[in-house]
Amino acid sequence: MVVSLIHPNTCGFAKVIAWQLEKSTASTAIRSDGESLPKFRSRISKLHYENFIEAFSECKENYSISFATFQKRFQDLHTKFVKWNSRKINERVKYLATFETEKWKKLPSSKKAEHSLQECRGCSHSYSYEQSLFPVKSKQFNNCQDKNNFVTATQTANDVGESKAKVKCKKREVTKAARELYAQINLQFQKICQVPLAQALVSVPELQLQQKKSKTEMKKEKRDCYRKVKARIEEEWKETDMLRCFGNRQSLKSRQKDRLAQAFEPRLSPEHSQVPEIKRSPVGIFDKMAWDKDALKSEVESYENGKFVNWSQLAKDYNVTNTKGKIAANGGQIVKEWLKSVDSNDTTPIQMIHAFDERRGEA
């Protein structure tokens, strides 16, 4: 394979280091007395080559080149740097700063192993843009330059920018053209940066683009919004609760009911269970009713399971009265409710007695 130092795929570090070593070697070399100029130049060339090989001593297998080939091919590289277009001096400065000797020394050994003198994969992968800055005008290398990912993407964008539409495009045509342009550039961009172009464009604040959120992220954002609104409302309530409670003629009990009705917590929450509900007896207070309760309870407990009982007649036998001291018309109901209230064991005969309705003649 023919070695060339100006090939687009030649390692950028090899180009710049060879160029810098030429100047440093020539400036430090001292011509001895009686040494002819051709011999002095030959000695400088030899030192230049040795310094180049020493600079890449860690991976010298990848940068093996003979002295004769190096001396012959370096002249083309020297011409490229000297005759670099003065209108593109910024590109030259950037190229030299990227591949300078100090940058090569700071690279870890694993990264250095990726580079080689010819067909450098390290430069193609990590420095595609900088490699595209090196001037190549020879027809021999045009195809090689076109293979550069960044150059291909840049050329595609330039072609689209230079083409002018004769008539105003419709929205559908604009969308189609943008999609085709994105598909071409995204492929090259992803090879260079390892991320999609759309993801990179989102990080550019000037474009004001936003990445579409997933359903889970949208739900989470919605819940967070609800929580913030709830917290803000509750904070406002805490500041105005005294005014809303005592600023009108509403009682504390009524205010408590309204507050719990307007709260965000469910009915089964501890907030609502602070005020236990007291279940009132449907027949009144038993302490205000007079009859022989112990005897009635003993008689009922002596019944066998399944015995039919006429509760109204039983209430008349024991003269069950109401809270006013009169014979209760609903004596049977009073007796049953009282037996339920005094009995706490579900397995006693009291809970298994069947009521008997004398008027209908059925249990």
Side-chain angles (χ1 to χ4, degrees):
M1 182 178 63
V2 179
V3 179
S4 174
L5 294 180
I6 62 173
H7 194 282
N9 294 334
T10 301
C11 181
F13 287 102
K15 296 176 183 178
V16 175
I17 291 176
W19 163 253
Q20 292 178 343
L21 287 177
E22 183 203 22
K23 296 190 294 183
S24 61
T25 304
S27 61
T28 56
I30 300 176
R31 183 178 177 182
S32 59
D33 296 338
E35 186 179 15
S36 62
L37 184 60
K39 289 184 178 181
F40 176 65
R41 290 177 177 175
S42 177
R43 184 164 60 88
I44 291 178
S45 298
K46 190 69 174 179
L47 289 174
H48 181 204
Y49 170 74
E50 292 175 355
N51 292 336
F52 178 82
I53 296 299
E54 184 180 358
F56 298 97
S57 58
E58 295 185 24
C59 46
K60 57 183 179 180
E61 296 84 3
N62 298 340
Y63 290 88
S64 60
I65 183 174
S66 64
F67 171 69
T69 304
F70 179 80
Q71 189 178 19
K72 181 180 179 180
R73 300 301 179 186
F74 180 75
Q75 299 301 324
D76 297 333
L77 181 65
H78 177 83
T79 304
K80 287 291 183 182
F81 278 109
V82 172
K83 295 185 178 181
W84 199 302
N85 192 343
S86 59
R87 290 175 296 180
K88 298 182 179 180
I89 191 65
N90 293 332
E91 295 181 0
R92 181 177 183 270
V93 172
K94 186 172 184 178
Y95 188 84
L96 293 175
T98 303
F99 298 108
E100 62 180 358
T101 308
E102 296 299 326
K103 293 286 184 66
W104 172 258
K105 292 180 180 179
K106 292 180 181 179
L107 283 179
S109 301
S110 58
K111 293 293 184 180
K112 290 181 179 180
E114 297 177 0
H115 293 266
S116 59
L117 183 61
Q118 298 293 317
E119 301 295 335
C120 183
R121 292 183 299 174
C123 291
S124 177
H125 181 267
S126 303
Y127 304 99
S128 285
Y129 171 67
E130 288 77 6
Q131 281 284 70
S132 67
L133 300 179
F134 191 79
V136 176
K137 295 183 180 180
S138 175
K139 295 181 180 180
Q140 178 184 359
F141 300 136
N142 281 342
N143 294 332
C144 300
Q145 182 75 351
D146 292 339
K147 294 179 182 179
N148 187 289
N149 296 329
F150 193 89
V151 173
T152 304
T154 305
Q155 186 62 36
T156 303
N158 292 336
D159 293 342
V160 175
E162 292 175 358
S163 60
K164 298 181 180 179
K166 297 181 180 180
V167 295
K168 186 177 180 180
C169 297
K170 297 181 180 179
K171 184 178 180 180
R172 183 179 300 176
E173 296 174 349
V174 172
T175 304
K176 183 179 179 181
R179 185 178 288 109
E180 292 178 355
L181 177 61
Y182 174 80
Q184 295 178 13
I185 299 180
N186 179 59
L187 183 62
Q188 305 297 334
F189 184 86
Q190 197 164 2
K191 290 180 180 179
I192 300 171
C193 303
Q194 306 299 322
V195 293
L197 179 60
Q199 184 177 347
L201 293 177
V202 171
S203 60
V204 181
E206 292 81 2
L207 300 179
Q208 298 181 355
L209 298 178
Q210 188 176 6
Q211 189 173 5
K212 185 178 180 180
K213 299 179 181 179
S214 62
K215 291 184 178 180
T216 305
E217 293 175 343
M218 293 177 66
K219 287 182 179 179
K220 183 179 179 182
E221 185 177 355
K222 194 174 182 179
R223 287 196 299 268
D224 293 341
C225 183
Y226 285 159
R227 291 192 185 101
K228 291 179 181 179
V229 173
K230 174 187 172 183
R232 188 166 61 250
I233 293 175
E234 289 180 344
E235 289 295 330
E236 184 68 21
W237 283 356
K238 289 180 181 179
E239 295 178 0
T240 60
D241 54 355
M242 293 293 293
L243 179 62
R244 288 184 287 107
C245 181
F246 296 103
N248 50 31
R249 301 179 63 85
Q250 189 179 21
S251 64
L252 291 176
K253 185 176 181 180
S254 177
R255 170 62 194 145
Q256 176 72 355
K257 289 183 179 180
D258 292 346
R259 188 185 69 81
L260 294 178
Q262 297 173 2
F264 289 97
E265 289 79 8
R267 288 290 179 183
L268 299 179
S269 64
E271 183 74 13
H272 288 79
S273 61
Q274 289 180 357
V275 182
E277 295 184 3
I278 301 175
K279 188 175 181 180
R280 300 180 61 181
S281 174
V283 295
I285 302 174
F286 297 113
D287 294 339
K288 296 182 179 181
M289 302 176 186
W291 74 85
D292 193 353
K293 299 177 182 178
D294 294 336
L296 189 147
K297 182 179 179 182
S298 299
E299 181 180 348
V300 173
E301 287 180 345
S302 64
Y303 293 159
E304 297 179 356
N305 292 340
K307 178 180 175 59
F308 294 102
V309 180
N310 188 335
W311 296 104
S312 298
Q313 185 61 40
L314 186 63
K316 291 179 182 179
D317 295 342
Y318 283 90
N319 296 324
V320 176
T321 61
N322 55 20
T323 55
K324 296 181 180 180
K326 298 180 180 180
I327 299 298
N330 60 339
Q333 184 181 6
I334 293 175
V335 171
K336 287 191 291 183
E337 293 295 331
W338 177 78
L339 289 173
K340 292 179 182 179
S341 64
V342 298
D343 182 49
S344 59
N345 189 358
D346 295 338
T347 61
T348 58
I350 296 177
Q351 297 295 330
M352 296 184 287
I353 295 175
H354 299 279
F356 179 78
D357 192 339
E358 185 179 16
R359 289 171 296 177
R360 291 186 296 175
E362 59 183 4

